[in-house]
Amino acid sequence: MRTLRINLDAIVHNLDVMRARANGAKVMGVVKANAYGHGAIPVAKTLERAGVDYLGVADVREALELRDGGIQSPILAWLHDPADNFETALTANIDLCVANLGQLQRIAKAAAVTSVTAKLHLKIDTGLGRNGSTEADWTELLEAVQALGESVSVIGIFSHLSTTSHVEDLAQIKKFDSAVAEVKRIGLTFEFRHLTASDGSLAYPEAHYEMVRIGAALYGLDPFSTNRSAEFGLIPAMTAVSRVAQVKTVPAGHGVSYNFLHRTEKETWLALVPVGYAEGLPRAATGKAEVSISGKRYAIKSQIAMDQFVLDVGNDPVQVGDEVVIFGDASLGVPSADDLAAAAGTINYEIVTRMGGRFQREYVGEGL
Ligand SMILES: *Cc1c(COP(=O)(O)O)cnc(C)c1O
């Protein structure tokens, strides 16, 4: 009755598109937040079979779930909480971000206990103001890493852009280069540098370094939320569909759903769709979002509720059981995640990552 149809072939295609653009740099597939709502294990398996170089997640717990699911690719986890168990992470061969001395000390301890060499990616905050070492603390952090000798191995040096503007991003790229120069000055060796996510990888080919970290684009989402997936050659991988659960005729002047935001203008047919904000359909999209039935668009004019919304379909021959596309691939004529995001005042990332509730995921395509 409520399905998130995930096209694994689209994900493989998008990986190929981004790999071609990466110009020889490695590609990390970012599968945090349940692969942006697409299902972490099936997506990671697909990416692994398609030859992704690395996988990236926020939490160690997400990385462990991938290992439990049989994923063998290198995995980097970059957002640690004070309760994270680094011993388990090292034993499971998970690369760890280091953003400060406290984290480094905990990881070093875990390396000593497990006798596993910790694979580190040192993160410098080049201006975003989020995770990562400050420039002021960077040298001290590098020296502390160096003092640990062979119990740690530095795989990566990385940072993250704000994509506020060209000027701001170029300033961050410059700071990143200085931070890397400092690593070299100290004599610490590392394998590769990585800076850009989907947006930066499309906007700054000169800043791909040795690896790019790609999330949104893998799922066929325009990372700028400007509805230009097709322009970038990307295919949206998620289609959210439901089925009409009830159709009935009502007279003119009939109120529809809470607060009667919509009243029928004439005798008309109402179609009930069993998807609500519990499924991740933003209530804020009421009055603005459109869905598609048999190729025709219908605005959601009445209040989106927890479990359902109602469409005024006029005299159209809509039937119980008809498929309702809430969003999908715009090039097929249906609304996109970008359209729904615009209706709800947010970005496509938030739309797909919040899809859940009673939706069930169905996988189509071979993945290879
Ligand atoms: C989420 C995330 C990414 C991926 O970003 P996209 O815009 O989805 O490509 C890359 N790097 C870091 C540090 C992230 O948190």
Side-chain angles (χ1 to χ4, degrees), residues 1-5 238-244 273-277 279-282 285 289-293 296-298 300 304 307-309 311 322-330 333-341 343 351 355 359:
M1 199 154 71
R2 311 173 191 90
T3 306
L4 297 177
R5 206 171 282 147
M238 181 188 286
T239 305
V241 299
S242 184
R243 293 195 177 279
V244 174
V273 185
V275 170
Y277 56 77
E279 275 63 59
L281 178 64
E290 289 182 340
V291 298
S292 173
I293 303 175
K296 185 166 172 186
R297 300 283 184 107
Y298 296 94
I300 307 177
I304 295 169
D307 314 310
Q308 53 201 292
F309 63 87
L311 300 171
D322 282 358
E323 185 170 275
V324 182
V325 180
I326 295 162
F327 66 86
D329 183 349
V334 296
S336 64
D338 298 61
D339 292 328
L340 181 52
I351 295 296
M355 284 291 137
F359 268 120

Side-chain angles (χ1 to χ4, degrees), residues 81-161:
D81 94 43
D84 278 334
N85 185 338
F86 290 136
E87 291 172 26
T88 316
L90 294 183
T91 311
N93 190 25
I94 290 158
D95 293 20
L96 297 168
C97 162
V98 175
N100 56 56
L101 275 179
Q103 286 175 356
L104 182 67
Q105 282 153 4
R106 285 175 53 219
I107 294 170
K109 208 169 135 200
V113 171
T114 57
S115 305
V116 175
T117 304
K119 294 182 186 161
L120 308 181
H121 294 244
L122 310 181
K123 186 159 195 190
I124 172 85
D125 177 3
T126 50
L128 181 58
R130 284 191 348 192
N131 196 16
S133 166
T134 62
E135 289 170 272
D137 294 340
W138 185 237
T139 303
E140 190 187 4
L141 181 65
L142 297 177
E143 285 168 352
V145 171
Q146 198 173 37
L148 290 171
E150 307 244 302
S151 66
V152 300
S153 160
V154 182
I155 307 292
I157 307 294
F158 80 118
S159 190
H160 196 47
L161 298 177

Side-chain angles (χ1 to χ4, degrees), residues 106-264:
R106 285 175 53 219
I107 294 170
K109 208 169 135 200
V113 171
T114 57
S115 305
V116 175
T117 304
K119 294 182 186 161
L120 308 181
H121 294 244
L122 310 181
K123 186 159 195 190
I124 172 85
D125 177 3
T126 50
L128 181 58
R130 284 191 348 192
N131 196 16
S133 166
T134 62
E135 289 170 272
D137 294 340
W138 185 237
T139 303
E140 190 187 4
L141 181 65
L142 297 177
E143 285 168 352
V145 171
Q146 198 173 37
L148 290 171
E150 307 244 302
S151 66
V152 300
S153 160
V154 182
I155 307 292
I157 307 294
F158 80 118
S159 190
H160 196 47
L161 298 177
S162 80
T163 56
T164 300
S165 69
H166 212 73
V167 171
E168 301 280 6
D169 291 340
L170 294 185
Q172 277 195 265
I173 291 170
K174 217 169 145 193
K175 284 187 176 172
F176 185 60
D177 290 336
S178 305
V180 171
E182 180 67 359
V183 178
K184 290 183 178 157
R185 188 188 68 77
I186 285 187
L188 199 57
T189 56
F190 60 91
E191 288 185 27
F192 50 84
R193 304 164 290 176
H194 46 106
L195 176 67
T196 55
S198 298
D199 48 6
S201 300
L202 292 169
Y204 310 111
E206 72 277 17
H208 288 162
Y209 297 98
E210 290 77 47
M211 186 162 76
V212 293
R213 301 187 305 269
I214 308 296
L218 280 185
Y219 307 103
L221 299 172
D222 169 359
F224 308 101
S225 267
T226 49
N227 229 341
R228 289 185 292 157
S229 292
E231 216 177 286
F232 300 123
L234 302 171
I235 302 175
M238 181 188 286
T239 305
V241 299
S242 184
R243 293 195 177 279
V244 174
Q246 175 183 269
V247 180
K248 67 182 178 190
T249 181
V250 295
H254 202 298
V256 186
S257 190
Y258 296 128
N259 306 316
F260 291 169
L261 298 182
H262 177 61
R263 279 181 198 272
T264 57

